[in-house]
Amino acid sequence: TGFFTPAGPADPPAAPAAPGPGPRTALVHDWLTGMRGGEKVLEAVAELYPQAPIHTLFHFPGRVSPALEAHPIHTSFLQGWPGVAGNYRRWLPLFPAAIEDFDLSAYDVIVSTSHCVAKGAIPAPGAVHVCYCHSPMRYAWDQEHAYFPRRRGPAARLRGLALTALRAWDTASAPRVDHFVANSRFVARRIRRYYGRQADVLPPPVETEFFTPGDADGGGAGADYCLVVAALAPYKRVDVAAEACARLGLELRVVGDGPDGAALRRRFAAGGRVRFLGRVDAEALRRLYRGALALLQPGVEDFGIAPVEALACGTPVVALGRGGVTDIVEDGVHGVLYGGGASGGGADGVGGLAPLTDPVSELAAAIDKCRQTRFNTLNLRARAEEFSRERFRSRFANLMNSIVGETRPPVPGRPPSQP
């Protein structure tokens, strides 16, 4: 499998952040391989700590924003291994060891943004570690069977053993975090369930100044296509969106790529009513939001930045009423939620997730309801603005001041940081 392939040149030891007022701070992130939602959160956090280095498993230069690449970036021992750029996920069993290998002893404060192993970084004994958790690892916990449906054979058994070990490490490393911050009530509940910890809830930032309503893009009830913006992974249920749109005679446009991309293209190529657009630039994405009848989200999401972007463009959301979307969309006001109610587990949509009897029919009915409803663009826009980048920065800064100001002791053996 390549587990014993010799490593490339070692990354130089991380240097502490430049001296200055306040505690010495380091940022830890899973990997820097593209500008997705997690990297946008990191970018907003990094703006508050312009001198802080970023410690990450992998960094492929040119794939993240100039603002992130302006920070000192320190990668793990896996960075130089052959074939990493093509398929870094194959080394998942080694990710815990790689994140633990970072020397963070020079820092008073660690801020990790984590959906995989970043929260497992080891801080100095006197340091404070705050983790902004996008989600406990979905593929290791409640969605293992969705990600890995093949359960038989030696390879499946070995994978199962590796995931068992990963779950044990994930639980054991949770006490290294002093304070968890979740991106939604749904994720806060998952943190309680798998780590036994409480978490504050702070939604991620969305570029509401860029995503704005258009004047003549033909969106809304008169539009002839629906939109999905998602990584093409099993739990996103893009297949359900495609079948529901086909029943209604609507075109579906899909933005994103991922491991399910090839299979989905083969399955829906014949009908001609599903357009897979791959990754698109921000301008094209904004045009697609503005022109769509609705953004569809048929899977359970931890939060979901795409629904907020759609609302910012004046486009309603049709979504499965479970998970983080219940923090964003009020049914009948900002779009249509379906499949919630008693099986959705109440207001936060996280308990008693009974499977839908007929997910395609329920989504089709919700889309049809959306077509018959006139949504107030000002209401949609106002809701989106609650998740603006500036609001996130202000709330996160206040949270960090509260946590660090109240709890941060000096790192032993070092003079205390300046106030």
Side-chain angles (χ1 to χ4, degrees):
T1 61
F3 280 94
F4 302 102
T5 306
D11 196 59
R24 296 174 176 87
T25 301
L27 308 178
V28 183
H29 189 69
D30 291 303
W31 47 76
L32 296 175
T33 62
M35 282 302 294
R36 292 173 285 271
E39 287 69 42
K40 292 176 181 177
V41 170
L42 176 64
E43 184 181 59
V45 170
E47 288 176 0
L48 301 172
Y49 304 98
Q51 303 300 319
I54 299 171
H55 298 72
T56 187
L57 296 181
F58 312 103
H59 169 223
F60 304 147
R63 296 194 187 180
V64 295
S65 69
L68 286 177
E69 299 210 340
H71 286 252
I73 296 176
H74 303 283
T75 55
S76 73
F77 63 77
L78 295 173
Q79 173 76 21
W81 287 34
V84 159
N87 187 10
Y88 58 87
R89 291 180 178 87
R90 68 184 297 197
W91 303 109
L92 176 64
L94 298 184
F95 287 4
I99 208 72
E100 291 177 345
D101 193 54
F102 286 122
D103 180 7
L104 302 175
S105 59
Y107 300 99
D108 305 295
V109 176
I110 309 300
V111 180
S112 62
T113 55
S114 181
H115 60 80
C116 187
V117 296
K119 74 144 184 49
I122 301 176
V128 172
H129 180 184
V130 178
C131 174
Y132 187 94
C133 185
H134 301 287
S135 177
M137 288 179 275
R138 291 182 293 261
Y139 39 84
W141 291 103
D142 53 312
Q143 294 184 19
E144 177 187 348
H145 288 252
Y147 275 87
F148 308 110
R150 295 182 181 178
R151 313 299 300 172
R152 298 183 180 276
R157 293 301 94 208
L158 289 173
R159 184 187 60 234
L161 291 172
L163 290 173
T164 296
L166 189 60
R167 283 190 288 270
W169 175 88
D170 199 30
T171 302
S173 62
R176 299 172 190 172
V177 176
D178 296 290
H179 199 102
F180 276 101
V181 183
N183 65 4
S184 67
R185 292 177 297 163
F186 178 65
V187 168
R189 176 165 176 154
R190 297 184 78 239
I191 290 170
R192 288 197 304 272
R193 176 168 295 170
Y194 301 127
Y195 303 153
R197 300 286 300 279
Q198 298 297 313
D200 285 324
V201 176
L202 176 58
V206 179
E207 300 289 349
T208 55
E209 292 186 3
F210 176 81
F211 291 102
T212 57
D215 295 326
D217 291 273
D224 62 353
Y225 73 89
C226 292
L227 183 65
V228 166
V229 179
L232 303 186
Y235 75 97
K236 301 289 187 178
R237 301 312 312 267
V238 177
D239 57 329
V240 172
E243 292 181 16
C245 287
R247 288 192 186 182
L248 298 172
L250 291 169
E251 179 183 318
L252 177 66
R253 300 183 187 180
V254 180
V255 172
D257 213 338
D260 268 14
L264 286 168
R265 288 181 175 90
R266 287 194 300 270
R267 178 174 173 183
F268 295 104
R273 299 292 291 174
V274 182
R275 293 177 56 188
F276 291 94
L277 305 177
R279 296 179 182 177
V280 302
D281 62 32
E283 296 277 355
L285 180 58
R286 182 170 60 181
R287 288 194 299 271
L288 287 164
Y289 280 134
R290 290 173 173 176
L293 163 66
L295 177 81
L296 308 184
Q297 185 176 288
V300 178
E301 296 281 356
D302 299 318
F303 177 74
I305 287 178
V308 182
E309 292 175 343
L311 294 178
C313 291
T315 298
V317 175
V318 177
L320 180 64
R322 305 175 178 183
V325 76
T326 60
D327 288 0
I328 305 167
V329 175
E330 181 181 348
D331 184 35
V333 179
H334 312 115
V336 178
L337 299 180
Y338 69 97
S343 64
D348 59 1
V350 294
L353 296 180
L356 300 184
T357 304
D358 188 349
V360 173
S361 294
E362 293 200 38
L363 175 54
I367 297 170
D368 198 44
K369 181 179 178 181
C370 182
R371 280 200 293 191
Q372 299 172 35
T373 305
R374 301 294 297 184
F375 292 97
N376 187 319
T377 301
L378 294 179
N379 287 344
L380 305 185
R381 175 71 191 173
R383 181 59 173 157
E385 287 175 344
E386 296 179 23
F387 304 94
S388 72
R389 186 183 183 95
E390 284 308 308
R391 290 197 179 192
F392 173 87
R393 281 166 43 89
S394 175
R395 292 167 179 168
F396 191 83
N398 289 338
L399 181 62
M400 288 299 299
N401 287 338
S402 172
I403 295 168
V404 175
E406 293 175 2
T407 65
R408 184 184 62 82
V411 172
R414 289 228 325 266
S417 299
Q418 300 176 18

